[in-house]
Amino acid sequence: MVQKAKILLVDDRPENLLALEAILSALDQTLVRASSGEEALKALLTDDFAVILLDVQMPGMDGFETAAHIKRRERTRDIPIIFLTAINHGPHHTFRGYAAGAVDYISKPFDPWVLRAKVSVFVELYMKNCQLREQAALLRLQLEGGGGKAAVGGGSKEPAGLLAELSARLAAVEEQAEALSKQLDDESADAAAVATAAHLERKLTGLRRALDALEPGTGGTAPSVPSQN
């Protein structure tokens, strides 16, 4: 069973959080509330999130300061942040949001369909990255295990069977990543989403090369597993 992605919703107004939950409930993912920047940072200490929806105007630690803390932490610096704001002070205000590390900046009231579509892109990218990490972990297990058996799906398989299992799983992820990239191109998506998808495809290419090098008859040595950073 595929685990659901977590989406962090940060806003000091309960009614705004309720509205966001109503809009994003159709994505069927796990929605996590935070009513302040401090509460958001606490949630990020223990959980992994696909994307963060962050209100700019909050008492105490505002959205800009919260984003700065998120981007300074190694664990959370790569999580996409979408800023939500009820005010618009012009280009300088928007630039400050992007400078703080946001991938998008949406003014309220926003179009529910547009917001849901933007969030769904980052959820899909997150899920593909999770699948890629799983493939890399299985491949690393094979490389470290040498000629012995390795566990897959609760059982054990000989190297040849494990390679076939890995190749099939990787092919499925490659197909989904290719379809997602085409979708982003067709919809003229945000540059950050396109760049993330391209980075994912590069990871997949490296993992495929490493896997192919392990096939019998290649005559090559086992390569290192590509980094997940």
Side-chain angles (χ1 to χ4, degrees):
M1 182 178 296
V2 178
Q3 186 175 3
K4 293 183 179 181
K6 291 183 178 180
I7 302 170
L8 183 59
L9 313 177
V10 189
D11 198 304
D12 63 297
R13 294 178 176 273
E15 62 271 22
N16 290 343
L17 291 172
L18 187 63
L20 288 173
E21 289 176 336
I23 292 171
L24 300 176
S25 61
L27 298 179
D28 194 27
Q29 304 300 323
T30 302
L31 305 177
V32 179
R33 284 188 175 201
S35 58
S36 66
E38 292 84 356
E39 190 174 332
L41 294 176
K42 184 177 180 180
L44 288 162
L45 287 174
T46 55
D47 289 327
D48 294 324
F49 292 91
V51 62
I52 302 170
L53 274 64
L54 180 58
D55 183 41
V56 172
Q57 298 296 120
M58 294 187 295
M61 184 184 296
D62 66 13
F64 296 129
E65 187 178 354
T66 302
H69 282 289
I70 293 172
K71 293 303 177 182
R72 279 199 293 266
R73 293 178 178 177
E74 183 177 358
R75 173 187 172 90
T76 59
R77 63 188 179 191
D78 294 327
I79 302 177
I81 299 174
I82 298 177
F83 271 138
L84 304 175
T85 179
I87 59 176
N88 186 358
H89 292 305
H92 177 73
H93 195 259
T94 302
F95 175 77
R96 187 182 176 191
Y98 287 118
V103 298
D104 209 340
Y105 198 100
I106 303 177
S107 297
K108 304 174 184 176
F110 43 77
D111 186 330
W113 293 94
V114 171
L115 179 63
R116 188 159 49 239
K118 289 177 180 291
V119 171
S120 68
V121 168
F122 291 106
V123 168
E124 287 189 63
L125 289 172
Y126 173 81
M127 299 300 284
K128 299 301 180 293
N129 271 297
C130 288
Q131 292 176 342
L132 180 57
R133 284 195 294 270
E134 180 185 350
Q135 312 311 316
L138 289 171
L139 179 56
R140 186 177 294 110
L141 180 62
Q142 167 63 21
L143 293 174
E144 294 174 352
K149 293 183 178 181
V152 175
S156 62
K157 293 191 176 185
E158 297 292 346
L162 177 60
L163 286 176
E165 175 85 12
L166 284 171
S167 182
R169 292 189 183 189
L170 182 56
V173 178
E174 288 172 332
E175 182 179 353
Q176 294 170 349
E178 182 180 358
L180 179 58
S181 294
K182 289 180 179 179
Q183 178 185 349
L184 291 175
D185 291 338
D186 293 341
E187 297 178 354
S188 300
D190 298 327
V194 174
T196 303
H199 182 54
L200 174 61
E201 288 193 329
R202 288 194 295 271
K203 288 183 181 180
L204 287 169
T205 299
L207 189 56
R208 171 59 68 185
R209 289 174 179 170
L211 188 61
D212 289 345
L214 293 175
E215 291 291 343
T218 59
T221 58
S224 59
V225 176
S227 170
Q228 295 306 297
N229 295 325

